[in-house]
Amino acid sequence: MLLQALAFYVFAAVTVASAAMVVVSRNPVYSVLFLILAFFNAAALFVLIGAEFIAMILVIVYVGAVAVLFLFVVMMLDINLTELREGFLKYLPVGAMIGIVLLAEILLALGILGAGSATMSGLNAHGAQVMAVDNTRAIGRVLYTQYFYLFQVAGLVLLVAMIGAIVLTLRSRPGVRRQKVGDQINRTKDQAMTVVKVPTRGGVS
Amino acid sequence: MVADLIAFFTTHWLGQGLVILAQCLAVTVPLLVAVAYMTYVDRKVWASIQLRRGPNVVGPFGLLQPFADGLKLVLKETIIPSSANGVLFVIAPMIAFMTALVAWAVVPFDDGWVIADINVGILYLFAISSLGVYGIIIAGWASNSKYAFLGALRSAAQMVSYEVSIGFVLITVLLCVGSLNLSQVVLAQSGWFWNWFFLPLLPMFVIFFVSALAETNRTPFDLPMSEAELVAGFHTEYSAMTFGLFFLGEYANMILLSALGAVLFLGGWMSPIPYAPFTWVPGVVWFALKIAFLLFVFSWTKGTLPRYRYDQLMRLGWKVFLPVSLGWVVLTAAVLQFGGWVPKL
């Protein structure tokens, strides 16, 4: 228990500190790296409360895929650091507002501000019967039965987003010579080469 | 007295911590020795393929060569380029090396011989292997050099692409097992060697192995370090032990992916024939033999195949492996469902 409490405080402190550094740090590449650290520590916190499946998915999806793309984009952009700093105070109120709204929503959902405690107690009641099996199985049982249609709809939304991204970035440039593997394999000896009898001193025309 | 000791190591937090530390050492030390000798075996195998002798000067049969190389790397001066980002430049090889080591926590060496027998072992391995890309991409950026940066971008794109197909391969295996626990994966393949998943899932095994080559940046997919184009790729600016850590990490990753292949497709610690003289051999030995076989194939491909072109690499990953593995997931699910072989949950 002592080790667990210690681990919790370490992970929580690192999460909060690195989240703060995401906003404060001067270099956008550092911001993304701190964001990755924050994701990773959040995953560790999930492990501590026994939600190992969500923890692993968090690492695979956010750290392993999304943040890599962030890092890609940020590294490729040639960002002027001083220009980036100028808007900080101007956007501070808006950012703070969004932060406060998000915090209020979380507190509401947890039932600390009075309302919404029904969700929490409902989850707790559900959790009690779910704890008997490991949580990968528990999530699967709920996701593929009760929430099956919502799950499918989520998949469709992602598909539409993917098609949208492809449509936005797809452009057919003229003059690109693509490798066509089928053509290469189907080529026969007759098409590929001709045997020429070269006359002496005549050369090939 | 003995009972006190047992109680200390099983219940007290300090004792438990010491046990975990000892377990980590018991895995890490043999692993590092294996990494050292993997470099030796690699060079011997390539030498044989090219009708040479390979390292044969240091020690009998050149057996001390890895240690001579290691000593050389340790004694050299670590050079940090003046225009490089110092902190990240040093952290990058540590990330690359550490991610290759921490993944071993969930690998089962024998029945019950595993540091962390967690229920999401496969996902843990997948998550850790997806972290390995950070060491490389940070190294490329922090070096502040064009060659290193291009090499890092290539490598990152390559690893992200091939992780997708590895993910689908893992899904087919876990469909057949019904569990994400690696020990359960091995136990599901018990019996004769044709019960191992490499036979029923042969196309997936091939895709897994080719993707493993791409994940570890080995020939024919070693584009991040293609000498003719990018000098030495992402570790162009690295020297001495910072380079050594990348090198060790790469080999540790190779051994890790071989171990994963052995667990998922070659029955882990199981003996190929479930009868007397074969079952007397400890499971660890079988496991090591299977890893050694896969590692030999790694060296063999490196000694045999030419390098892919970058667009061919991406084409193979996204246009061939992704649809094939996705289709195979659907096929496996359908066969399990309609053939009545769905694993009991």
Side-chain angles (χ1 to χ4, degrees), chain B residues 24-101:
Chain B
C24 293
L25 282 178
V27 171
T28 312
V29 172
L31 177 68
L32 289 179
V33 174
V35 166
Y37 275 96
M38 186 57 211
T39 64
Y40 171 80
V41 171
D42 239 4
R43 293 166 72 178
K44 278 290 188 192
V45 170
W46 304 334
S48 304
I49 288 173
Q50 298 165 354
L51 301 179
R52 294 184 286 113
R53 281 172 190 271
N56 63 352
V57 177
V58 191
F61 307 105
L63 275 173
L64 296 179
Q65 183 70 41
F67 296 103
D69 289 344
L71 200 65
K72 186 197 84 171
L73 282 177
V74 171
L75 291 179
K76 275 181 131 178
E77 183 191 354
T78 303
I79 297 167
I80 298 174
S82 56
S83 62
N85 185 322
V87 180
L88 290 180
F89 189 82
V90 176
I91 287 178
M94 295 180 193
I95 295 175
F97 184 58
M98 263 179 50
T99 50
L101 286 189

Side-chain angles (χ1 to χ4, degrees), chain A residues 119-180:
Chain A
T119 38
M120 244 359 234
S121 60
L123 278 178
N124 284 336
H126 211 82
Q129 53 169 315
V130 154
M131 279 319 243
V133 290
D134 60 86
N135 60 54
T136 313
R137 207 156 283 168
I139 288 173
R141 277 182 190 163
V142 181
L143 197 61
Y144 294 115
T145 53
Q146 202 175 342
Y147 298 112
F148 184 68
Y149 292 112
L150 291 175
F151 179 68
Q152 297 274 317
V153 169
L156 281 178
V157 169
L158 286 176
L159 182 68
V160 170
M162 190 174 85
I163 293 171
I166 293 172
V167 167
L168 282 176
T169 53
L170 187 71
R171 51 180 180 147
S172 49
R173 280 179 299 177
V176 178
R177 297 173 65 184
R178 285 221 170 73
Q179 182 181 19
K180 289 176 188 142

Side-chain angles (χ1 to χ4, degrees), chain A residues 2-3 27 29-30 33 36 40 52-53 56 59-60 63-64 67-68 71-72 75-76 134 136-137 179 181, chain B residues 13 85 88 119-120 123-124 126-127 130-131 133-134 137-138 141 149 153 156-157 160 178 180 309 312 315:
Chain A
L2 179 69
L3 278 178
N27 191 331
V29 173
Y30 288 171
L33 292 176
I36 292 161
F40 205 74
E52 71 258 12
F53 181 74
M56 293 304 147
V59 174
I60 292 171
V63 181
V68 171
L71 204 58
F72 247 67
M75 281 180 176
M76 304 274 269
D134 60 86
T136 313
R137 207 156 283 168
Q179 182 181 19
V181 178
Chain B
W13 62 271
N85 185 322
L88 290 180
N119 280 326
V120 286
L123 288 180
Y124 173 82
F126 194 53
S130 69
L131 289 181
V133 68
Y134 284 110
I137 197 167
I138 291 173
W141 186 78
F149 189 54
L153 286 183
V160 170
L180 288 163
R309 219 171 52 211
Q312 292 172 328
R315 189 184 152 274

